[in-house]
PDB file of all heavy atoms in Angstrom:
ATOM      1  N   ALA A 827      66.431 112.919 -89.759  1.00  0.00           N
ATOM      2  CA  ALA A 827      67.163 111.650 -89.837  1.00  0.00           C
ATOM      3  C   ALA A 827      66.374 110.656 -90.676  1.00  0.00           C
ATOM      4  O   ALA A 827      66.923 109.932 -91.485  1.00  0.00           O
ATOM      5  CB  ALA A 827      67.428 111.098 -88.443  1.00  0.00           C
ATOM      6  N   GLY A 828      65.047 110.633 -90.507  1.00  0.00           N
ATOM      7  CA  GLY A 828      64.218 109.746 -91.309  1.00  0.00           C
ATOM      8  C   GLY A 828      64.208 110.168 -92.764  1.00  0.00           C
ATOM      9  O   GLY A 828      64.148 109.342 -93.655  1.00  0.00           O
ATOM     10  N   ALA A 829      64.309 111.454 -93.030  1.00  0.00           N
ATOM     11  CA  ALA A 829      64.288 111.957 -94.398  1.00  0.00           C
ATOM     12  C   ALA A 829      65.553 111.580 -95.156  1.00  0.00           C
ATOM     13  O   ALA A 829      65.583 111.622 -96.371  1.00  0.00           O
ATOM     14  CB  ALA A 829      64.117 113.471 -94.394  1.00  0.00           C
ATOM     15  N   GLN A 830      66.614 111.200 -94.448  1.00  0.00           N
ATOM     16  CA  GLN A 830      67.859 110.843 -95.113  1.00  0.00           C
ATOM     17  C   GLN A 830      67.818 109.453 -95.730  1.00  0.00           C
ATOM     18  O   GLN A 830      68.706 109.087 -96.465  1.00  0.00           O
ATOM     19  CB  GLN A 830      69.027 110.925 -94.135  1.00  0.00           C
ATOM     20  CG  GLN A 830      69.364 112.326 -93.733  1.00  0.00           C
ATOM     21  CD  GLN A 830      70.513 112.352 -92.761  1.00  0.00           C
ATOM     22  OE1 GLN A 830      71.110 111.338 -92.447  1.00  0.00           O
ATOM     23  NE2 GLN A 830      70.833 113.524 -92.272  1.00  0.00           N
ATOM     24  N   ALA A 831      66.814 108.669 -95.401  1.00  0.00           N
ATOM     25  CA  ALA A 831      66.745 107.323 -95.948  1.00  0.00           C
ATOM     26  C   ALA A 831      66.743 107.409 -97.476  1.00  0.00           C
ATOM     27  O   ALA A 831      65.986 108.159 -98.065  1.00  0.00           O
ATOM     28  CB  ALA A 831      65.507 106.614 -95.452  1.00  0.00           C
ATOM     29  N   GLN A 832      67.616 106.647 -98.078  1.00  0.00           N
ATOM     30  CA  GLN A 832      67.751 106.687 -99.526  1.00  0.00           C
ATOM     31  C   GLN A 832      66.970 105.549-100.165  1.00  0.00           C
ATOM     32  O   GLN A 832      66.506 104.633 -99.495  1.00  0.00           O
ATOM     33  CB  GLN A 832      69.222 106.572 -99.917  1.00  0.00           C
ATOM     34  CG  GLN A 832      70.048 107.745 -99.461  1.00  0.00           C
ATOM     35  CD  GLN A 832      71.500 107.590 -99.860  1.00  0.00           C
ATOM     36  OE1 GLN A 832      71.924 106.547-100.313  1.00  0.00           O
ATOM     37  NE2 GLN A 832      72.262 108.628 -99.689  1.00  0.00           N
ATOM     38  N   VAL A 833      66.884 105.596-101.469  1.00  0.00           N
ATOM     39  CA  VAL A 833      66.282 104.507-102.209  1.00  0.00           C
ATOM     40  C   VAL A 833      67.148 103.270-102.049  1.00  0.00           C
ATOM     41  O   VAL A 833      68.260 103.333-101.542  1.00  0.00           O
ATOM     42  CB  VAL A 833      66.130 104.888-103.702  1.00  0.00           C
ATOM     43  CG1 VAL A 833      65.135 106.003-103.877  1.00  0.00           C
ATOM     44  CG2 VAL A 833      67.452 105.266-104.306  1.00  0.00           C
ATOM     45  N   GLU A 834      66.673 102.155-102.501  1.00  0.00           N
ATOM     46  CA  GLU A 834      67.357 100.895-102.264  1.00  0.00           C
ATOM     47  C   GLU A 834      68.712 100.817-102.945  1.00  0.00           C
ATOM     48  O   GLU A 834      69.599 100.143-102.464  1.00  0.00           O
ATOM     49  CB  GLU A 834      66.466  99.746-102.707  1.00  0.00           C
ATOM     50  CG  GLU A 834      65.194  99.655-101.870  1.00  0.00           C
ATOM     51  CD  GLU A 834      64.187  98.678-102.429  1.00  0.00           C
ATOM     52  OE1 GLU A 834      64.381  98.192-103.551  1.00  0.00           O
ATOM     53  OE2 GLU A 834      63.198  98.408-101.740  1.00  0.00           O
ATOM     54  N   ASP A 835      68.898 101.469-104.075  1.00  0.00           N
ATOM     55  CA  ASP A 835      70.168 101.443-104.789  1.00  0.00           C
ATOM     56  C   ASP A 835      70.887 102.776-104.619  1.00  0.00           C
ATOM     57  O   ASP A 835      70.271 103.801-104.359  1.00  0.00           O
ATOM     58  CB  ASP A 835      69.952 101.199-106.284  1.00  0.00           C
ATOM     59  CG  ASP A 835      69.267  99.874-106.571  1.00  0.00           C
ATOM     60  OD1 ASP A 835      69.342  98.976-105.714  1.00  0.00           O
ATOM     61  OD2 ASP A 835      68.653  99.752-107.637  1.00  0.00           O
ATOM     62  N   TRP A 836      72.203 102.760-104.765  1.00  0.00           N
ATOM     63  CA  TRP A 836      73.005 103.985-104.752  1.00  0.00           C
ATOM     64  C   TRP A 836      73.551 104.163-106.158  1.00  0.00           C
ATOM     65  O   TRP A 836      73.970 103.201-106.808  1.00  0.00           O
ATOM     66  CB  TRP A 836      74.160 103.866-103.760  1.00  0.00           C
ATOM     67  CG  TRP A 836      75.144 104.988-103.892  1.00  0.00           C
ATOM     68  CD1 TRP A 836      75.095 106.189-103.236  1.00  0.00           C
ATOM     69  CD2 TRP A 836      76.285 105.053-104.745  1.00  0.00           C
ATOM     70  NE1 TRP A 836      76.137 106.981-103.635  1.00  0.00           N
ATOM     71  CE2 TRP A 836      76.889 106.301-104.567  1.00  0.00           C
ATOM     72  CE3 TRP A 836      76.859 104.170-105.668  1.00  0.00           C
ATOM     73  CZ2 TRP A 836      78.025 106.694-105.254  1.00  0.00           C
ATOM     74  CZ3 TRP A 836      77.988 104.556-106.351  1.00  0.00           C
ATOM     75  CH2 TRP A 836      78.557 105.807-106.142  1.00  0.00           C
ATOM     76  N   GLN A 837      73.564 105.406-106.648  1.00  0.00           N
ATOM     77  CA  GLN A 837      74.156 105.656-107.961  1.00  0.00           C
ATOM     78  C   GLN A 837      74.719 107.063-108.038  1.00  0.00           C
ATOM     79  O   GLN A 837      74.318 107.949-107.298  1.00  0.00           O
ATOM     80  CB  GLN A 837      73.162 105.407-109.083  1.00  0.00           C
ATOM     81  CG  GLN A 837      71.938 106.287-109.059  1.00  0.00           C
ATOM     82  CD  GLN A 837      70.937 105.869-110.132  1.00  0.00           C
ATOM     83  OE1 GLN A 837      71.239 105.067-111.001  1.00  0.00           O
ATOM     84  NE2 GLN A 837      69.748 106.418-110.070  1.00  0.00           N
ATOM     85  N   SER A 838      75.673 107.223-108.938  1.00  0.00           N
ATOM     86  CA  SER A 838      76.288 108.529-109.133  1.00  0.00           C
ATOM     87  C   SER A 838      76.678 108.681-110.590  1.00  0.00           C
ATOM     88  O   SER A 838      77.212 107.754-111.206  1.00  0.00           O
ATOM     89  CB  SER A 838      77.534 108.653-108.261  1.00  0.00           C
ATOM     90  OG  SER A 838      78.175 109.896-108.486  1.00  0.00           O
ATOM     91  N   ASN A 839      76.397 109.862-111.141  1.00  0.00           N
ATOM     92  CA  ASN A 839      76.947 110.189-112.452  1.00  0.00           C
ATOM     93  C   ASN A 839      78.445 110.366-112.262  1.00  0.00           C
ATOM     94  O   ASN A 839      78.878 111.007-111.301  1.00  0.00           O
ATOM     95  CB  ASN A 839      76.362 111.499-112.990  1.00  0.00           C
ATOM     96  CG  ASN A 839      74.917 111.356-113.392  1.00  0.00           C
ATOM     97  OD1 ASN A 839      74.468 110.287-113.770  1.00  0.00           O
ATOM     98  ND2 ASN A 839      74.176 112.430-113.289  1.00  0.00           N
ATOM     99  N   VAL A 840      79.238 109.839-113.166  1.00  0.00           N
ATOM    100  CA  VAL A 840      80.687 109.989-113.055  1.00  0.00           C
ATOM    101  C   VAL A 840      81.073 111.464-113.093  1.00  0.00           C
ATOM    102  O   VAL A 840      82.029 111.880-112.447  1.00  0.00           O
ATOM    103  CB  VAL A 840      81.419 109.167-114.141  1.00  0.00           C
ATOM    104  CG1 VAL A 840      82.910 109.385-114.089  1.00  0.00           C
ATOM    105  CG2 VAL A 840      81.102 107.674-113.972  1.00  0.00           C
ATOM    106  N   SER A 841      80.284 112.272-113.778  1.00  0.00           N
ATOM    107  CA  SER A 841      80.584 113.703-113.848  1.00  0.00           C
ATOM    108  C   SER A 841      80.504 114.386-112.485  1.00  0.00           C
ATOM    109  O   SER A 841      81.072 115.460-112.295  1.00  0.00           O
ATOM    110  CB  SER A 841      79.643 114.393-114.830  1.00  0.00           C
ATOM    111  OG  SER A 841      78.295 114.243-114.416  1.00  0.00           O
ATOM    112  N   SER A 842      79.840 113.782-111.512  1.00  0.00           N
ATOM    113  CA  SER A 842      79.766 114.371-110.171  1.00  0.00           C
ATOM    114  C   SER A 842      80.811 113.787-109.228  1.00  0.00           C
ATOM    115  O   SER A 842      80.878 114.177-108.065  1.00  0.00           O
ATOM    116  CB  SER A 842      78.366 114.190-109.580  1.00  0.00           C
ATOM    117  OG  SER A 842      78.099 112.822-109.362  1.00  0.00           O
ATOM    118  N   CYS A 843      81.636 112.884-109.711  1.00  0.00           N
ATOM    119  CA  CYS A 843      82.706 112.307-108.907  1.00  0.00           C
ATOM    120  C   CYS A 843      83.929 113.235-108.927  1.00  0.00           C
ATOM    121  O   CYS A 843      83.986 114.169-109.716  1.00  0.00           O
ATOM    122  CB  CYS A 843      83.077 110.924-109.442  1.00  0.00           C
ATOM    123  SG  CYS A 843      81.689 109.742-109.328  1.00  0.00           S
ATOM    124  N   VAL A 844      84.896 112.958-108.081  1.00  0.00           N
ATOM    125  CA  VAL A 844      86.046 113.841-107.914  1.00  0.00           C
ATOM    126  C   VAL A 844      87.179 113.433-108.860  1.00  0.00           C
ATOM    127  O   VAL A 844      87.619 112.288-108.829  1.00  0.00           O
ATOM    128  CB  VAL A 844      86.554 113.784-106.456  1.00  0.00           C
ATOM    129  CG1 VAL A 844      87.773 114.664-106.272  1.00  0.00           C
ATOM    130  CG2 VAL A 844      85.453 114.186-105.499  1.00  0.00           C
ATOM    131  N   PRO A 845      87.667 114.358-109.693  1.00  0.00           N
ATOM    132  CA  PRO A 845      88.830 114.060-110.538  1.00  0.00           C
ATOM    133  C   PRO A 845      90.036 113.757-109.640  1.00  0.00           C
ATOM    134  O   PRO A 845      90.289 114.471-108.674  1.00  0.00           O
ATOM    135  CB  PRO A 845      89.053 115.335-111.338  1.00  0.00           C
ATOM    136  CG  PRO A 845      87.764 116.088-111.244  1.00  0.00           C
ATOM    137  CD  PRO A 845      87.151 115.706-109.941  1.00  0.00           C
ATOM    138  N   ALA A 846      90.775 112.697-109.969  1.00  0.00           N
ATOM    139  CA  ALA A 846      91.861 112.246-109.096  1.00  0.00           C
ATOM    140  C   ALA A 846      93.155 113.027-109.260  1.00  0.00           C
ATOM    141  O   ALA A 846      94.023 112.954-108.409  1.00  0.00           O
ATOM    142  CB  ALA A 846      92.130 110.755-109.335  1.00  0.00           C
ATOM    143  N   ASN A 847      93.294 113.767-110.352  1.00  0.00           N
ATOM    144  CA  ASN A 847      94.537 114.512-110.578  1.00  0.00           C
ATOM    145  C   ASN A 847      94.263 115.696-111.506  1.00  0.00           C
ATOM    146  O   ASN A 847      93.172 115.832-112.056  1.00  0.00           O
ATOM    147  CB  ASN A 847      95.623 113.579-111.157  1.00  0.00           C
ATOM    148  CG  ASN A 847      95.140 112.836-112.386  1.00  0.00           C
ATOM    149  OD1 ASN A 847      94.513 113.403-113.266  1.00  0.00           O
ATOM    150  ND2 ASN A 847      95.434 111.536-112.442  1.00  0.00           N
ATOM    151  N   ALA A 848      95.270 116.546-111.666  1.00  0.00           N
ATOM    152  CA  ALA A 848      95.114 117.754-112.480  1.00  0.00           C
ATOM    153  C   ALA A 848      94.852 117.411-113.947  1.00  0.00           C
ATOM    154  O   ALA A 848      94.072 118.097-114.617  1.00  0.00           O
ATOM    155  CB  ALA A 848      96.353 118.642-112.359  1.00  0.00           C
ATOM    156  N   TYR A 849      95.484 116.345-114.454  1.00  0.00           N
ATOM    157  CA  TYR A 849      95.254 115.966-115.850  1.00  0.00           C
ATOM    158  C   TYR A 849      93.775 115.623-116.073  1.00  0.00           C
ATOM    159  O   TYR A 849      93.153 116.082-117.033  1.00  0.00           O
ATOM    160  CB  TYR A 849      96.133 114.772-116.255  1.00  0.00           C
ATOM    161  CG  TYR A 849      95.779 114.288-117.644  1.00  0.00           C
ATOM    162  CD1 TYR A 849      96.201 115.008-118.762  1.00  0.00           C
ATOM    163  CD2 TYR A 849      94.973 113.171-117.832  1.00  0.00           C
ATOM    164  CE1 TYR A 849      95.827 114.606-120.040  1.00  0.00           C
ATOM    165  CE2 TYR A 849      94.606 112.769-119.104  1.00  0.00           C
ATOM    166  CZ  TYR A 849      95.037 113.486-120.202  1.00  0.00           C
ATOM    167  OH  TYR A 849      94.665 113.097-121.461  1.00  0.00           O
ATOM    168  N   THR A 850      93.207 114.824-115.174  1.00  0.00           N
ATOM    169  CA  THR A 850      91.798 114.447-115.301  1.00  0.00           C
ATOM    170  C   THR A 850      90.905 115.680-115.239  1.00  0.00           C
ATOM    171  O   THR A 850      89.959 115.819-116.013  1.00  0.00           O
ATOM    172  CB  THR A 850      91.411 113.448-114.193  1.00  0.00           C
ATOM    173  OG1 THR A 850      92.223 112.275-114.335  1.00  0.00           O
ATOM    174  CG2 THR A 850      89.953 113.061-114.258  1.00  0.00           C
ATOM    175  N   LEU A 851      91.219 116.584-114.334  1.00  0.00           N
ATOM    176  CA  LEU A 851      90.433 117.807-114.188  1.00  0.00           C
ATOM    177  C   LEU A 851      90.473 118.645-115.467  1.00  0.00           C
ATOM    178  O   LEU A 851      89.453 119.158-115.924  1.00  0.00           O
ATOM    179  CB  LEU A 851      90.959 118.630-113.009  1.00  0.00           C
ATOM    180  CG  LEU A 851      90.234 119.924-112.696  1.00  0.00           C
ATOM    181  CD1 LEU A 851      88.789 119.664-112.312  1.00  0.00           C
ATOM    182  CD2 LEU A 851      90.946 120.675-111.589  1.00  0.00           C
ATOM    183  N   ASN A 852      91.644 118.750-116.081  1.00  0.00           N
ATOM    184  CA  ASN A 852      91.814 119.597-117.267  1.00  0.00           C
ATOM    185  C   ASN A 852      91.410 118.913-118.573  1.00  0.00           C
ATOM    186  O   ASN A 852      90.882 119.564-119.469  1.00  0.00           O
ATOM    187  CB  ASN A 852      93.267 120.066-117.372  1.00  0.00           C
ATOM    188  CG  ASN A 852      93.630 121.006-116.247  1.00  0.00           C
ATOM    189  OD1 ASN A 852      92.809 121.781-115.786  1.00  0.00           O
ATOM    190  ND2 ASN A 852      94.865 120.916-115.776  1.00  0.00           N
ATOM    191  N   ALA A 853      91.661 117.609-118.700  1.00  0.00           N
ATOM    192  CA  ALA A 853      91.450 116.928-119.980  1.00  0.00           C
ATOM    193  C   ALA A 853      90.051 116.336-120.127  1.00  0.00           C
ATOM    194  O   ALA A 853      89.554 116.193-121.236  1.00  0.00           O
ATOM    195  CB  ALA A 853      92.498 115.832-120.171  1.00  0.00           C
ATOM    196  N   GLY A 854      89.423 115.969-119.013  1.00  0.00           N
ATOM    197  CA  GLY A 854      88.102 115.362-119.094  1.00  0.00           C
ATOM    198  C   GLY A 854      87.053 116.393-119.454  1.00  0.00           C
ATOM    199  O   GLY A 854      87.007 117.473-118.887  1.00  0.00           O
ATOM    200  N   GLN A 855      86.216 116.056-120.411  1.00  0.00           N
ATOM    201  CA  GLN A 855      85.146 116.962-120.816  1.00  0.00           C
ATOM    202  C   GLN A 855      83.861 116.501-120.127  1.00  0.00           C
ATOM    203  O   GLN A 855      83.411 115.373-120.311  1.00  0.00           O
ATOM    204  CB  GLN A 855      84.956 116.944-122.326  1.00  0.00           C
ATOM    205  CG  GLN A 855      83.870 117.884-122.792  1.00  0.00           C
ATOM    206  CD  GLN A 855      83.660 117.825-124.299  1.00  0.00           C
ATOM    207  OE1 GLN A 855      84.149 116.937-124.976  1.00  0.00           O
ATOM    208  NE2 GLN A 855      82.909 118.781-124.810  1.00  0.00           N
ATOM    209  N   VAL A 856      83.280 117.373-119.322  1.00  0.00           N
ATOM    210  CA  VAL A 856      82.021 117.065-118.646  1.00  0.00           C
ATOM    211  C   VAL A 856      80.870 117.509-119.539  1.00  0.00           C
ATOM    212  O   VAL A 856      80.784 118.675-119.915  1.00  0.00           O
ATOM    213  CB  VAL A 856      81.938 117.770-117.275  1.00  0.00           C
ATOM    214  CG1 VAL A 856      80.591 117.513-116.618  1.00  0.00           C
ATOM    215  CG2 VAL A 856      83.074 117.316-116.368  1.00  0.00           C
ATOM    216  N   ILE A 857      80.024 116.564-119.895  1.00  0.00           N
ATOM    217  CA  ILE A 857      78.845 116.850-120.716  1.00  0.00           C
ATOM    218  C   ILE A 857      77.674 117.012-119.748  1.00  0.00           C
ATOM    219  O   ILE A 857      77.094 116.034-119.283  1.00  0.00           O
ATOM    220  CB  ILE A 857      78.573 115.722-121.736  1.00  0.00           C
ATOM    221  CG1 ILE A 857      79.836 115.387-122.526  1.00  0.00           C
ATOM    222  CG2 ILE A 857      77.407 116.097-122.643  1.00  0.00           C
ATOM    223  CD1 ILE A 857      80.437 116.534-123.298  1.00  0.00           C
ATOM    224  N   ILE A 858      77.367 118.248-119.432  1.00  0.00           N
ATOM    225  CA  ILE A 858      76.384 118.546-118.395  1.00  0.00           C
ATOM    226  C   ILE A 858      75.002 118.015-118.762  1.00  0.00           C
ATOM    227  O   ILE A 858      74.337 117.390-117.939  1.00  0.00           O
ATOM    228  CB  ILE A 858      76.343 120.057-118.107  1.00  0.00           C
ATOM    229  CG1 ILE A 858      77.685 120.491-117.526  1.00  0.00           C
ATOM    230  CG2 ILE A 858      75.207 120.409-117.166  1.00  0.00           C
ATOM    231  CD1 ILE A 858      77.867 121.974-117.405  1.00  0.00           C
ATOM    232  N   ALA A 859      74.575 118.231-119.986  1.00  0.00           N
ATOM    233  CA  ALA A 859      73.233 117.805-120.392  1.00  0.00           C
ATOM    234  C   ALA A 859      73.064 116.294-120.284  1.00  0.00           C
ATOM    235  O   ALA A 859      72.001 115.811-119.919  1.00  0.00           O
ATOM    236  CB  ALA A 859      72.948 118.268-121.815  1.00  0.00           C
ATOM    237  N   GLY A 860      74.105 115.541-120.570  1.00  0.00           N
ATOM    238  CA  GLY A 860      74.020 114.088-120.501  1.00  0.00           C
ATOM    239  C   GLY A 860      74.490 113.512-119.183  1.00  0.00           C
ATOM    240  O   GLY A 860      74.292 112.337-118.900  1.00  0.00           O
ATOM    241  N   GLY A 861      75.146 114.317-118.357  1.00  0.00           N
ATOM    242  CA  GLY A 861      75.616 113.846-117.062  1.00  0.00           C
ATOM    243  C   GLY A 861      76.722 112.816-117.160  1.00  0.00           C
ATOM    244  O   GLY A 861      76.748 111.848-116.408  1.00  0.00           O
ATOM    245  N   TYR A 862      77.646 113.007-118.100  1.00  0.00           N
ATOM    246  CA  TYR A 862      78.752 112.056-118.225  1.00  0.00           C
ATOM    247  C   TYR A 862      80.044 112.787-118.528  1.00  0.00           C
ATOM    248  O   TYR A 862      80.057 113.992-118.762  1.00  0.00           O
ATOM    249  CB  TYR A 862      78.460 111.001-119.296  1.00  0.00           C
ATOM    250  CG  TYR A 862      78.290 111.522-120.711  1.00  0.00           C
ATOM    251  CD1 TYR A 862      79.368 111.611-121.572  1.00  0.00           C
ATOM    252  CD2 TYR A 862      77.039 111.889-121.189  1.00  0.00           C
ATOM    253  CE1 TYR A 862      79.216 112.075-122.874  1.00  0.00           C
ATOM    254  CE2 TYR A 862      76.868 112.341-122.483  1.00  0.00           C
ATOM    255  CZ  TYR A 862      77.957 112.429-123.322  1.00  0.00           C
ATOM    256  OH  TYR A 862      77.795 112.879-124.600  1.00  0.00           O
ATOM    257  N   VAL A 863      81.142 112.033-118.491  1.00  0.00           N
ATOM    258  CA  VAL A 863      82.451 112.596-118.848  1.00  0.00           C
ATOM    259  C   VAL A 863      82.937 111.909-120.110  1.00  0.00           C
ATOM    260  O   VAL A 863      82.610 110.760-120.385  1.00  0.00           O
ATOM    261  CB  VAL A 863      83.495 112.435-117.711  1.00  0.00           C
ATOM    262  CG1 VAL A 863      83.065 113.210-116.492  1.00  0.00           C
ATOM    263  CG2 VAL A 863      83.743 110.990-117.368  1.00  0.00           C
ATOM    264  N   ARG A 864      83.727 112.661-120.865  1.00  0.00           N
ATOM    265  CA  ARG A 864      84.249 112.145-122.131  1.00  0.00           C
ATOM    266  C   ARG A 864      85.742 112.382-122.166  1.00  0.00           C
ATOM    267  O   ARG A 864      86.219 113.485-121.865  1.00  0.00           O
ATOM    268  CB  ARG A 864      83.543 112.835-123.289  1.00  0.00           C
ATOM    269  CG  ARG A 864      83.935 112.317-124.647  1.00  0.00           C
ATOM    270  CD  ARG A 864      82.996 112.737-125.739  1.00  0.00           C
ATOM    271  NE  ARG A 864      82.824 114.179-125.804  1.00  0.00           N
ATOM    272  CZ  ARG A 864      81.880 114.773-126.517  1.00  0.00           C
ATOM    273  NH1 ARG A 864      81.007 114.085-127.188  1.00  0.00           N
ATOM    274  NH2 ARG A 864      81.799 116.090-126.543  1.00  0.00           N
ATOM    275  N   ALA A 865      86.480 111.359-122.551  1.00  0.00           N
ATOM    276  CA  ALA A 865      87.939 111.439-122.635  1.00  0.00           C
ATOM    277  C   ALA A 865      88.354 112.092-123.953  1.00  0.00           C
ATOM    278  O   ALA A 865      87.639 111.987-124.953  1.00  0.00           O
ATOM    279  CB  ALA A 865      88.541 110.042-122.542  1.00  0.00           C
ATOM    280  N   PRO A 866      89.508 112.743-123.960  1.00  0.00           N
ATOM    281  CA  PRO A 866      90.015 113.281-125.227  1.00  0.00           C
ATOM    282  C   PRO A 866      90.496 112.130-126.110  1.00  0.00           C
ATOM    283  O   PRO A 866      90.666 111.001-125.640  1.00  0.00           O
ATOM    284  CB  PRO A 866      91.180 114.162-124.790  1.00  0.00           C
ATOM    285  CG  PRO A 866      91.649 113.540-123.519  1.00  0.00           C
ATOM    286  CD  PRO A 866      90.432 112.989-122.845  1.00  0.00           C
ATOM    287  N   LEU A 867      90.716 112.433-127.385  1.00  0.00           N
ATOM    288  CA  LEU A 867      91.294 111.411-128.261  1.00  0.00           C
ATOM    289  C   LEU A 867      92.704 111.110-127.800  1.00  0.00           C
ATOM    290  O   LEU A 867      93.433 112.000-127.361  1.00  0.00           O
ATOM    291  CB  LEU A 867      91.276 111.887-129.717  1.00  0.00           C
ATOM    292  CG  LEU A 867      89.880 112.062-130.335  1.00  0.00           C
ATOM    293  CD1 LEU A 867      89.993 112.619-131.746  1.00  0.00           C
ATOM    294  CD2 LEU A 867      89.102 110.756-130.330  1.00  0.00           C
ATOM    295  N   GLY A 868      93.120 109.843-127.906  1.00  0.00           N
ATOM    296  CA  GLY A 868      94.430 109.430-127.389  1.00  0.00           C
ATOM    297  C   GLY A 868      95.468 109.390-128.470  1.00  0.00           C
ATOM    298  O   GLY A 868      95.212 109.783-129.591  1.00  0.00           O
ATOM    299  N   PRO A 869      96.656 108.953-128.132  1.00  0.00           N
ATOM    300  CA  PRO A 869      97.006 108.359-126.841  1.00  0.00           C
ATOM    301  C   PRO A 869      97.274 109.431-125.778  1.00  0.00           C
ATOM    302  O   PRO A 869      98.007 110.380-126.016  1.00  0.00           O
ATOM    303  CB  PRO A 869      98.268 107.566-127.141  1.00  0.00           C
ATOM    304  CG  PRO A 869      98.916 108.314-128.255  1.00  0.00           C
ATOM    305  CD  PRO A 869      97.786 108.910-129.064  1.00  0.00           C
ATOM    306  N   ASN A 870      96.671 109.259-124.641  1.00  0.00           N
ATOM    307  CA  ASN A 870      96.828 110.136-123.488  1.00  0.00           C
ATOM    308  C   ASN A 870      96.719 109.275-122.234  1.00  0.00           C
ATOM    309  O   ASN A 870      96.227 108.150-122.296  1.00  0.00           O
ATOM    310  CB  ASN A 870      95.726 111.207-123.456  1.00  0.00           C
ATOM    311  CG  ASN A 870      95.904 112.266-124.510  1.00  0.00           C
ATOM    312  OD1 ASN A 870      96.928 112.930-124.566  1.00  0.00           O
ATOM    313  ND2 ASN A 870      94.901 112.414-125.373  1.00  0.00           N
ATOM    314  N   PRO A 871      97.119 109.810-121.097  1.00  0.00           N
ATOM    315  CA  PRO A 871      96.895 109.066-119.854  1.00  0.00           C
ATOM    316  C   PRO A 871      95.391 108.897-119.613  1.00  0.00           C
ATOM    317  O   PRO A 871      94.589 109.678-120.134  1.00  0.00           O
ATOM    318  CB  PRO A 871      97.509 109.969-118.774  1.00  0.00           C
ATOM    319  CG  PRO A 871      98.400 110.911-119.502  1.00  0.00           C
ATOM    320  CD  PRO A 871      97.828 111.056-120.876  1.00  0.00           C
ATOM    321  N   PRO A 872      95.003 107.895-118.848  1.00  0.00           N
ATOM    322  CA  PRO A 872      93.583 107.726-118.553  1.00  0.00           C
ATOM    323  C   PRO A 872      93.062 108.826-117.627  1.00  0.00           C
ATOM    324  O   PRO A 872      93.829 109.443-116.885  1.00  0.00           O
ATOM    325  CB  PRO A 872      93.520 106.360-117.858  1.00  0.00           C
ATOM    326  CG  PRO A 872      94.883 106.161-117.300  1.00  0.00           C
ATOM    327  CD  PRO A 872      95.831 106.861-118.228  1.00  0.00           C
TER     328      PRO A 872
END
């Protein structure tokens, strides 16, 4: 229980967050080395 104490701030790479729909899951490009997501060229849904 003591080991669960976190640092003072909370943060998350967006790439580790949950895609909200099938379009996001399929269209979003996860850049593993950089730990981010990249949108396709538009116009497309967000």
Side-chain angles (χ1 to χ4, degrees):
Q830 290 180 4
Q832 295 180 350
V833 293
E834 295 170 351
D835 300 337
W836 170 89
Q837 62 186 349
S838 177
N839 289 332
V840 176
S841 60
S842 66
C843 297
V844 178
N847 53 44
Y849 174 76
T850 299
L851 181 62
N852 293 326
Q855 181 182 13
V856 177
I857 309 301
I858 295 170
Y862 63 91
V863 296
R864 184 165 55 192
L867 294 176
N870 288 302

